[in-house]
Structure formats: structure tokens, C-alpha cells
Amino acid sequence: AFGVALSAVAVLSGWLLWASLGLGWALLALAAIDLRHFVLPDVLCLPLIPAGLAVGWALDPSLLPEHSLGAILGFAAFIAIAIAYRRLRGREGLGMGDAKLLAAAGAWLGWRALPSVVLIAAVVALALALAGALAGGKLAWTSRIAFGPHLALGFWLVWLFGPVILG
């Protein structure tokens, strides 16, 4: 919790700092719950969507369509991936909570930032899974990995520092 506050204070100030602290603490709680129970509760996820739209509107009302589209595309993209995975593998692989969290990221960041959020989340998840396997842990095609913590980290980093710029 202290790291969330410290990282936000280093970058933000005023009302945006308080909004960002709320976001950071919600993401931290979501990450902890997902790690322990493999669920991202709606009670924490869903309020982040209107909150992100409100913050986006307060920052620049002309960007509200971009942020609204971000929420829609974030949700739709992960739902499409979840459906495809279920059809290919015959089991669940990506939960609705992940889709709702990516929708929240889209609401806060806008649709253009979503690839950065997913890239950071995927790279961190893969790196940690591989590190665990190399350290003697068990990693198989059927291993469950909570993706919410990685998604929350990508969301937080892009919120604070902006999208990844390659090249």
C-alpha cells in the first residue's frame, strides 16, 4: 500500500493524486484477492469503470469518447479471447473479471493505451511463470495463473507513466 502511495505522489498532485490513490488501492486489493481466490470481485472492478470515465472527463471532456471506447473495447477484446480459448481448449482460461478490469483500464486510459496494459501484463506473467518453473516450480499447460495481478500492474504503470513506446 505504501508503494502505491509513493509512486502516485512522485508523479501526481491535487485531486488527481487522490483519484489515483483510490485507483491504486483498488488495484492492489484486486491483485491480492485474485492471487488468493482466482476472482476479481465486481464490487471492486465495476466502480472503476465510471470512476475512470469521470476522471477522464474531468481531465479533458473531449477525450470522453476515447475513454468510453476504451472501456467497450477492453471488455470486448477479453471476452472474445475467453470465448476462443474455451472453444479451443474446452475449459475456462480467462475470466469475466479480467475483461471487466481491462474495461476499467480502457475507461481510465483510453483505447490507445490498452495494448500497453496487456503487453506489460503478459510479459510480467510469462516472466514470473518461467522464473517459477526454473526455480523448481510446477508449470504445465493446465496450470492456473491469476492474470489479474499482472493486469493491475500494467494498468497502474500505464496510468502513471503512459503507454509503452517501441522504436
Side-chain angles (χ1 to χ4, degrees):
F2 180 71
V4 166
L6 187 60
S7 62
V9 169
V11 179
L12 305 165
S13 62
W15 71 266
L16 189 55
L17 171 62
W18 292 104
S20 298
L21 289 173
L23 170 64
W25 288 324
L27 292 174
L28 189 61
L30 284 165
I33 292 166
D34 198 26
L35 276 173
R36 182 169 283 186
H37 303 287
F38 291 95
V39 67
L40 294 166
D42 285 351
V43 71
L44 291 175
C45 253
L46 292 179
L48 290 177
I49 297 170
L53 294 173
V55 168
W57 178 82
L59 289 171
D60 184 352
S62 71
L63 294 178
L64 188 57
E66 179 176 326
H67 289 250
S68 299
L69 185 58
I72 293 165
L73 290 176
F75 185 78
F78 268 17
I79 290 300
I81 291 169
I83 290 169
Y85 186 90
R86 189 178 320 114
R87 286 192 179 154
L88 289 171
R89 300 289 311 274
R91 65 184 184 99
E92 296 297 321
L94 189 65
M96 290 285 291
D98 296 311
K100 293 170 191 172
L101 185 54
L102 192 60
W108 281 79
L109 304 168
W111 70 269
R112 289 181 179 97
L114 292 178
S116 292
V117 172
V118 175
L119 175 66
I120 292 167
V123 167
V124 170
L126 182 59
L128 290 175
L130 291 175
L134 291 173
K138 202 170 154 185
L139 183 62
W141 286 106
T142 57
S143 296
R144 289 179 74 188
I145 297 174
F147 193 55
H150 312 293
L151 202 52
L153 177 64
F155 183 171
W156 183 246
L157 291 175
V158 174
W159 172 249
L160 290 180
F161 305 111
V164 174
I165 298 174
L166 302 174

